[in-house]
Amino acid sequence: MAEAVFHPPKRKRRVFESYKAPFPVDVGGKDFRLCQAEIINNNVIVRNPEDIEQLYNKGYFGKGILSRSRPVFSISDPQLEAKWRGVNTNMPIITAQKYRRRVQWARSVLQEQGLDSCSISSILESYTQPLGLPFCTGDGDGQAGHSCTTGSTGNAELGRKCDREGTQSPESHNQHSQEGGDPGRASRAQEHPREMAEGSCHRDPAEGKQSPEQRAWQGMDSRECAPEYVLVQEEEEGSSCPEDDSTHAPENLVKKEVLVCRKNPFRIFEYLQLSLEEAFFLVYALGCLSIYYGEEPLSIVKLWEVFSEVKPDFKTTYMAYHYFRGKGWVPKVGLKYGTDLLLYRKGPPFYHASYSVIAELVDDHFEGSLRRPLSWMSLSGLNRTNANASKELMLCYLIRPSDMTAEEMASPECMKRIKVQGLLQELIVSRWVSSRERSEHDEF
């Protein structure tokens, strides 16, 4: 029988972070922070930016839904930020084309709510009209105005006063919300389309009781409910001027560009999505997360019950997750490669995943109803898929006592007994190459 070859973890070429610890949560210390998450559509999400930074930076828990892994999504265009470097503002800068695209998204959502075209056009025209730049500062000459302009010399004229004619009053804002809804709430249609499809933002008080998920979305903080202001780079009308004042040829005319402050009609929020195993580990093992369903936090036993209903094999996968986290690995969901978990050394920013894990819960005699019975064909396919991605396939068997009842499994305390009675059996599956074995025997 060929022996398994243990390959060292494959380190990434470009690493821009420093490693601290597997999960450096200062429990009981001065830097300890109790984060908050919510259950929405059977998913555990974290929306507070401070909580997102805490959980991802200290242990790489979760994944940003709009980012590749680390939640760093921003609608601002990096090239435009470099171009308008003199404009010191915290508002994102986007092109006019991207802004028109968001207006079209908001229009489509309002059309789904049953509004006529005239009302939609009136709402969007009032919501997206140019505004002032009350918080804009920079290196320019500081002239007052309602837009940031630049010419061929690249100097920025920064506005400091708010254009009262272009600013929308709260009364008119409420009026438009009653007519058909605030276009700024259109982004919630992407995250929660069922709620937006049921009707407009103005709801009847006699509509009936709402589910905890709907109350959770309506209970957003002021940061999400408030409109988002963006700087849109547009071409100023009638501002074409000859270059270098030497020729008046049409090809030498340079159009002057301006930054116009507008409201974003379609907001897209970045939040951290936790897997059920990650969320329960933060609650049960570290005690640094509180998960709410509606307005009430759920207890550990209730979370164990709820997660087991949402995911029938949750108990098995969490036991494997808890075990490998205790070993110092950073487990992630392995759905992409047809497995339960992916194991990273230190974290995804430093190394590629080394192992793809399939977890099974068996008794003392390695018997029981397997979650995924593997045939030679399925095992060969899994092995080939992971080998092409430079990962090793690992079968992880969780051994529980034969006399353990279903009532004991209804509580996470059952893991203590499993740990005492037996250890996790790990088996690495590798491909056997017959030609390689024959060549090795021929050498002898």
Side-chain angles (χ1 to χ4, degrees), residues 66 73 75 94 97-113 120 124 128 182-190 196 228 264-269:
L66 300 177
F73 171 78
I75 66 173
I94 62 176
Q97 181 180 3
K98 290 184 178 180
Y99 187 79
R100 287 193 296 267
R101 190 182 306 164
R102 280 164 172 75
V103 174
Q104 293 176 359
W105 293 343
R107 182 182 298 273
S108 62
V109 172
L110 294 178
Q111 288 175 353
E112 293 177 358
Q113 297 181 4
I120 295 175
L124 292 177
T128 61
D182 185 357
R185 296 185 58 185
S187 61
R188 256 98 73 191
Q190 183 181 7
M196 297 298 295
E228 180 184 23
N264 186 8
F266 194 94
R267 297 188 63 182
I268 302 178
F269 297 101

Side-chain angles (χ1 to χ4, degrees), residues 52-340:
I52 292 175
E53 183 179 1
Q54 171 85 1
L55 295 179
Y56 191 86
N57 292 345
K58 297 185 176 181
Y60 305 102
F61 294 95
K63 177 188 179 302
I65 61 163
L66 300 177
S67 306
R68 188 170 182 176
S69 180
R70 176 179 291 276
V72 292
F73 171 78
S74 175
I75 66 173
S76 186
D77 193 338
Q79 296 181 355
L80 291 183
E81 286 184 347
K83 180 180 179 180
W84 295 87
R85 194 170 301 171
V87 181
N88 299 326
T89 178
N90 56 358
M91 288 186 289
I93 304 176
I94 62 176
T95 60
Q97 181 180 3
K98 290 184 178 180
Y99 187 79
R100 287 193 296 267
R101 190 182 306 164
R102 280 164 172 75
V103 174
Q104 293 176 359
W105 293 343
R107 182 182 298 273
S108 62
V109 172
L110 294 178
Q111 288 175 353
E112 293 177 358
Q113 297 181 4
L115 299 178
D116 58 293
S117 58
C118 296
S119 299
I120 295 175
S121 301
S122 177
I123 292 174
L124 292 177
E125 182 179 359
S126 176
Y127 194 87
T128 61
Q129 59 185 339
L131 302 175
L133 293 176
F135 307 109
C136 192
T137 59
D139 300 331
D141 52 7
Q143 294 181 1
H146 69 280
S147 63
C148 295
T149 62
T150 182
S152 58
T153 59
N155 295 328
E157 298 178 0
L158 308 173
R160 299 178 183 274
K161 295 183 179 180
C162 181
D163 187 2
R164 296 182 179 179
E165 297 179 358
T167 304
Q168 189 180 26
S169 62
E171 292 79 11
S172 62
H173 176 72
N174 295 334
Q175 181 180 0
H176 293 309
S177 299
Q178 294 179 359
E179 289 179 1
D182 185 357
R185 296 185 58 185
S187 61
R188 256 98 73 191
Q190 183 181 7
E191 303 172 1
H192 198 56
R194 184 184 64 181
E195 181 183 353
M196 297 298 295
E198 290 178 354
S200 62
C201 298
H202 179 66
R203 299 184 180 275
D204 190 0
E207 194 173 352
K209 293 185 178 180
Q210 295 177 335
S211 64
E213 295 180 357
Q214 292 176 340
R215 290 198 301 267
W217 280 110
Q218 290 186 356
M220 290 185 176
D221 53 7
S222 59
R223 181 186 64 86
E224 296 182 348
C225 295
E228 180 184 23
Y229 296 94
V230 295
L231 296 177
V232 185
Q233 178 178 276
E234 300 178 355
E235 294 181 355
E236 189 176 13
E237 298 181 359
S239 60
S240 300
C241 57
E243 189 177 9
D244 297 334
D245 296 333
S246 58
T247 178
H248 298 280
E251 59 271 11
N252 294 330
L253 295 180
V254 178
K255 293 184 178 180
K256 190 177 272 189
E257 297 171 342
V258 296
L259 288 181
V260 181
C261 181
R262 298 178 186 271
K263 290 181 181 179
N264 186 8
F266 194 94
R267 297 188 63 182
I268 302 178
F269 297 101
E270 170 85 298
Y271 58 81
L272 189 72
Q273 182 171 355
L274 301 172
S275 66
L276 300 183
E277 293 80 10
E278 290 175 328
F280 194 82
F281 183 83
L282 291 169
V283 175
Y284 175 73
L286 300 183
C288 62
L289 182 68
S290 180
I291 301 179
Y292 285 75
Y293 182 73
E295 298 179 355
E296 299 180 357
L298 300 181
S299 62
I300 294 178
V301 178
K302 186 64 176 178
L303 283 175
W304 183 264
E305 178 185 352
V306 170
F307 288 170
S308 299
E309 293 178 358
V310 173
K311 187 177 179 180
D313 55 352
F314 166 75
K315 297 176 182 177
T316 303
T317 55
Y318 175 74
M319 290 179 187
Y321 181 94
H322 191 105
Y323 171 78
F324 287 114
R325 264 289 183 178
K327 289 280 188 177
W329 294 93
V330 178
K332 290 290 183 179
V333 178
L335 184 61
K336 183 189 299 184
Y337 299 99
T339 57
D340 297 322

